[in-house]
């Protein structure tokens, strides 16, 4: 008798032209979605407060609610992505985003303003990074890391493009007209982009060697998954609290507001460079070592910002912190696939991303609160560095045993 073997099922995928179309589409729509739904708000919030009479804290709270809603929505969105792909979900999110922004723009009072941002949060849960990551992870198979790196590099331009545009529009018109214009841009770019650019057969999930392929319920209830979520949430909290409070820290250290803002921008440039360096890092490290090293580097650079003084030293550390944040984005994007493969990427990534998005929403306020509690921003950064160091400890327990 001749022994026979059964080869693992091959993943049906798009041809090279189709893959390029999907990647180009998501690069364009993520720049637009992040730029309009997220990065325009910090630029417009001052004008909203001045022209409406609403307090800045009340306005920021509405935006924070949108982030919390996006976190919750990401869980069912992940299930839908696993089942049928990104086209319907992301197109629906783009369609919903347009009236959401119009509600914000035309809101006569705070309850309507809050309702608009709540709808915008639902849209964000369907169009920002998690569904885009799921799409590329499934369609690109073994080449998913390179595709994710290209996407995050492109999306890093969102603030570069849309923050100045929002500033120019609000200076010429007002914040309400600005959001109407931005809603029109969002509709023109992302609705046809998602509907036409994400067409194609949704493939079977690829097999990733060295991962532990288990039922998604078992994975999500495991201690390893809990350790991963805690590690990434704590690290994201420290990183985002640090970046949102960098300008006040630098002003406290004697920087002019202009130089502090420039330093923040240089940290953003460092973030882009960090993403370019992810591929060689991934080639020489495993999931555990990579996560521990990058989160420990987050702890080190955050704490250093609270220790060093002098213009040159602070700018250098700020750029280094940006480099680390850039790599951390891709550590988060690949965390599920590195450990459990891509079979249930959408739902597992949705479950993992929800608490991360929540702490990101709370981080700016929490960083400011810590500065009041500790008495200075410098001490706050030492606390944030300690939080990130604790995250590195959890990261060491975030990899399942390899199965054969």
């Amino acid at each position: 008798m001749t022994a026979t073997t059964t080869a693992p099922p091959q993943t049906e995928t798009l041809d090279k032209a189709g893959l390029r179309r999907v990647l180009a589409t998501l690069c364009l729509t993520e720049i637009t979605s992040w730029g309009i739904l997220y990065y325009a708000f910090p630029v417009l919030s001052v004008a909203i407060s001045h022209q409406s009479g609403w307090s800045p804290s009340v306005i920021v709270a509405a935006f924070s609610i949108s982030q919390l809603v996006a976190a919750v929505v990401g869980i069912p969105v992940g299930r839908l992505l696993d089942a049928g792909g990104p086209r319907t979900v992301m197109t629906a999110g783009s369609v919903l985003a347009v009236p959401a922004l119009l509600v914000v723009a035309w809101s006569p009072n705070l309850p309507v303003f809050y309702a608009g941002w709540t709808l915008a949060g639902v849209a964000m849960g369907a169009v920002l990074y998690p569904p885009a990551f799921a799409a590329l992870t499934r369609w690109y198979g073994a080449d998913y890391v390179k595709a994710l790196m290209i996407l995050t590099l492109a999306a890093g331009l969102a603030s570069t493009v849309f923050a100045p545009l929002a500033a120019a529009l609000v200076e010429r018109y007002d914040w309400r007209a600005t959001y109407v214009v931005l809603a029109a841009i969002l509709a023109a770019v992302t609705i046809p982009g998602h509907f036409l650019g994400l067409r194609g057969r949704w493939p079977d999930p690829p097999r990733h060697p060295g991962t532990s392929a288990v039922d998604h319920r078992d994975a999500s209830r495991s201690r390893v998954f809990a350790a991963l979520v805690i590690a990434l949430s704590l690290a994201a909290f420290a990183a985002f609290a640090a970046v949102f409070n960098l300008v006040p820290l630098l002003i406290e250290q004697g920087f002019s507001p202009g130089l502090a803002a420039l330093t923040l921008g240089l940290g953003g440039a460092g973030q882009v460079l960090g993403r370019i360096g992810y591929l060689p890092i991934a080639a020489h490290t495993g999931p555990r070592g990579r996560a521990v090293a990058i989160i420990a580097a987050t702890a080190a650079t955050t704490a250093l910002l609270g220790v060093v003084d002098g213009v040159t030293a602070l700018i250098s550390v700020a750029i280094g912190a940006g480099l680390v944040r850039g790599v951390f984005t891709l550590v988060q994007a690949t965390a599920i696939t590195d450990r459990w493969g891509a079979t249930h990427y959408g739902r597992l990534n949705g479950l993992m991303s929800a608490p991360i998005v929540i702490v990101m929403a709370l981080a700016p306020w929490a960083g400011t609160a810590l500065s009041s509690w500790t008495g200075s921003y410098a001490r706050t950064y030492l606390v944030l560095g300690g939080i990130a160091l604790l995250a590195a400890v959890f990261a060491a327990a975030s990899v399942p045993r390899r199965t054969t």
Side-chain angles (χ1 to χ4, degrees):
M1 179 180 291
T2 303
T4 61
T5 59
T6 302
Q10 297 298 308
T11 301
E12 294 184 32
T13 188
L14 300 171
D15 59 18
K16 290 184 178 180
L19 291 175
R20 287 195 296 269
R21 166 174 49 79
V22 165
L23 182 55
T25 294
L26 288 173
C27 286
L28 178 60
T29 60
E30 288 301 300
I31 290 173
T32 306
S33 298
W34 274 103
I36 292 174
L37 292 171
Y38 193 92
Y39 287 110
F41 178 81
V43 176
L44 300 177
S45 60
V46 174
I48 295 173
S49 179
H50 286 167
Q51 295 170 21
S52 68
W54 303 328
S55 71
S57 60
V58 168
I59 292 168
V60 172
F63 185 73
S64 295
I65 287 173
S66 75
Q67 303 305 293
L68 299 177
V69 171
V72 174
V73 167
I75 297 173
V77 162
R79 292 196 294 267
L80 293 173
L81 286 164
D82 282 339
R87 188 188 189 196
T88 300
V89 170
M90 297 191 78
T91 302
S94 295
V95 170
L96 178 61
V98 176
L101 290 179
L102 294 179
V103 170
V104 169
W106 295 332
S107 54
N109 51 49
L110 278 173
V112 177
F113 185 77
Y114 271 65
W117 279 112
T118 300
L119 288 175
V122 176
M124 285 187 232
V127 300
L128 294 184
Y129 269 156
F133 288 165
L136 294 182
T137 297
R138 181 73 69 90
W139 261 319
Y140 267 80
D143 293 327
Y144 76 103
V145 175
K146 182 178 180 180
L148 293 176
M149 184 193 74
I150 293 171
L151 175 66
T152 55
L153 282 172
L157 298 173
S159 60
T160 305
V161 174
F162 282 97
L165 176 60
L169 287 170
V170 78
E171 184 176 346
R172 183 177 179 86
Y173 305 106
D174 62 10
W175 70 272
R176 295 181 187 275
T178 297
Y179 265 124
V180 172
V181 173
L182 293 176
I185 295 172
L186 188 77
V189 174
T190 65
I191 295 175
H194 289 147
F195 183 74
L196 300 175
L198 299 183
R199 67 186 186 277
R201 183 179 178 85
W202 188 233
D204 296 327
R207 296 281 297 274
H208 291 271
T211 59
S212 179
V214 296
D215 181 81
H216 66 89
R217 297 177 188 85
D218 293 335
S220 63
R221 296 168 184 168
S222 68
R223 292 182 179 178
V224 168
F225 188 83
L228 177 65
V229 170
I230 293 171
L232 295 181
S233 296
L234 290 175
F237 174 84
F240 277 84
V243 74
F244 273 96
N245 289 278
L246 182 61
V247 170
L249 168 75
L250 295 176
I251 291 174
E252 179 183 85
Q253 295 295 327
F255 280 50
S256 68
L259 182 57
L262 175 61
T263 303
L264 178 63
L266 291 173
Q271 186 168 312
V272 173
L273 293 175
R275 289 168 182 171
I276 294 174
Y278 181 78
L279 281 177
I281 292 173
H284 295 92
T285 58
R288 176 186 285 111
R290 188 158 58 247
V292 171
I294 296 306
I295 294 175
T298 300
T301 54
T302 302
L304 277 173
L305 284 168
V307 172
V308 301
D309 55 16
V311 172
T312 301
L314 281 165
I315 291 176
S316 299
V317 177
I319 294 172
L323 285 166
V324 174
R325 285 198 309 274
V327 181
F328 177 75
T329 300
L330 286 165
V331 168
Q332 178 184 335
T334 57
I336 296 299
T337 313
D338 283 344
R339 290 159 176 79
W340 295 284
T343 303
H344 304 295
Y345 181 92
R347 67 183 70 199
L348 289 176
N349 194 58
L351 289 168
M352 180 191 76
S353 297
I356 295 173
V357 174
I358 289 170
V359 300
M360 286 169 58
L362 297 175
W365 170 84
T368 303
L370 278 172
S371 70
S372 298
W373 177 64
T374 61
S376 72
Y377 282 98
R379 295 191 189 97
T380 294
Y381 275 68
L382 294 176
V383 174
L384 293 174
I387 291 171
L389 187 61
L390 178 61
V393 174
F394 279 97
S398 68
V399 176
R401 294 179 180 178
R402 178 177 292 188
T403 59
T404 57

